[in-house]
């Protein structure tokens, strides 16, 4: 990154087991190394709790203070949960279903939804979050989520979609077919969708083919291809 600042930017890796230390490392990475934010692998499997837990407040407050985004990435489930949900299947099938085929994405979507339902964005109104894989199933479900989680039930100031559309951006990482990308654009708006590949887990050529195939205007394609990321990550 230091050798090619015009081509590369970095996300920090944080020791989330200690939220205070993670906050300090985020500050070092942003202020001393010039990183654009941090990528946090889902904390459920490693720390036994989601980021809406109050113990993560110092870390989320530091994201706010530094005004950089948190990229919330999936991670494998705890062993006990994996056995309940994915046990009893052939080994390779269980492993893939628990991670890249389904489990990663449903858990990451739940994690993001917990940030909303748990009042994180009310407590941290300047927090910005990125989620991958075309929104981890959330764009498809967001209308129903609003219907069944109204403010009268949640006690929040607004329906969940309003929090998502103020605080969350989605990337196309690893999703190389047109329908889920169009769903993300139609629900979140073209200004909140960022083109992404998933190298080395997905082929870059497939990502480029998706970008070429998107049936949106050239101006909107330019936003998805790079302009949105430039604004969100303050890339120059």
């Amino acid at each position: 990154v230091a050798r090619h600042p015009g081509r590369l930017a970095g996300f920090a890796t944080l020791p989330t087991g200690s939220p205070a230390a993670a906050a300090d490392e985020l500050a070092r990475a942003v202020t001393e190394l010039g990183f654009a934010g941090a990528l946090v692998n889902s904390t459920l499997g490693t720390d036994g709790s989601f980021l809406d837990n109050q113990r993560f407040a110092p870390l989320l407050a530091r994201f706010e203070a530094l005004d950089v985004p948190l990229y919330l990435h999936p991670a494998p489930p705890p062993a006990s949960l994996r056995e309940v949900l994915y046990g009893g299947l052939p080994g390779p099938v269980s492993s893939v279903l628990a991670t890249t085929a389904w489990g990663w994405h449903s858990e990451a979507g739940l994690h993001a939804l917990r940030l909303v339902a748990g009042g994180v964005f009310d407590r941290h109104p300047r927090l910005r979050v990125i989620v991958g894989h075309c929104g981890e199933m959330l764009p498809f479900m967001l209308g129903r989520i609003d219907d069944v989680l109204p403010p009268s039930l949640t006690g929040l100031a607004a329906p969940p979609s309003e929090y998502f559309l103020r605080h969350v951006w989605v990337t196309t990482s690893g999703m190389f077919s047109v329908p889920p990308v169009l769903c993300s654009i139609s629900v979140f708006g073209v200004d909140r969708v960022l083109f992404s590949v998933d190298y080395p887990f997905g082929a870059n050529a497939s990502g480029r083919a998706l970008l070429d195939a998107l049936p949106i205007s050239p101006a909107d394609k330019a936003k998805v291809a790079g302009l949105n990321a430039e604004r969100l990550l303050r890339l120059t």
Side-chain angles (χ1 to χ4, degrees):
V1 173
R3 288 196 302 270
H4 304 284
R7 292 183 59 84
L8 301 174
F11 281 128
T13 298
L14 305 179
T16 54
S18 171
D24 289 342
E25 175 61 8
L26 175 64
R28 186 187 77 89
V30 171
T31 61
E32 297 181 23
L33 304 179
F35 280 18
L39 186 149
V40 175
N41 288 311
S42 180
T43 51
L44 178 63
T46 54
D47 299 324
S49 57
F50 293 93
L51 287 171
D52 60 285
N53 189 296
Q54 286 283 0
R55 70 190 187 91
F56 291 108
L59 175 58
L60 301 183
R62 196 69 62 91
F63 273 102
E64 279 191 290
L66 294 166
D67 196 20
V68 293
L70 184 164
Y71 196 129
L72 180 60
H73 190 273
S80 58
L81 186 60
R82 176 169 175 165
E83 179 59 29
V84 169
L85 296 179
Y86 308 105
L89 297 170
V93 174
S94 174
S95 178
V96 174
L97 193 60
T99 55
T100 54
W102 183 262
W104 267 4
H105 312 297
S106 61
E107 190 272 317
L110 174 63
H111 201 145
L113 187 57
R114 285 184 62 106
L115 295 180
V116 172
V120 167
F121 295 118
D122 285 336
R123 298 192 296 272
H124 302 279
R126 298 185 307 279
L127 181 63
R128 295 177 295 154
V129 174
I130 306 170
V131 295
H133 310 106
C134 285
E136 311 291 14
M137 308 183 187
L138 287 166
F140 182 84
M141 292 294 297
L142 199 51
R144 178 170 174 81
I145 289 168
D146 272 356
D147 287 342
V148 298
L149 286 177
S152 60
L153 179 66
T154 64
L156 300 173
S161 62
E162 290 193 25
Y163 289 94
F164 280 109
L165 298 181
R166 284 200 300 263
H167 297 277
V168 177
W169 284 254
V170 304
T171 83
T172 65
S173 60
M175 304 291 279
F176 298 144
S177 59
V178 168
V181 180
L182 290 183
C183 180
S184 298
I185 291 173
S186 67
V187 173
F188 275 76
V190 73
D191 293 327
R192 287 183 174 267
V193 177
L194 317 177
F195 172 71
S196 174
V197 294
D198 205 13
Y199 181 84
F201 305 107
N204 288 351
S206 298
R208 178 54 198 253
L210 164 72
L211 187 61
D212 291 340
L214 277 181
I216 57 178
S217 71
D220 283 347
K221 189 172 291 191
K223 290 181 177 181
V224 173
L227 295 178
N228 292 340
E230 288 180 10
R231 285 193 291 268
L232 176 62
L233 303 176
R234 295 190 174 89
L235 304 176
T236 57

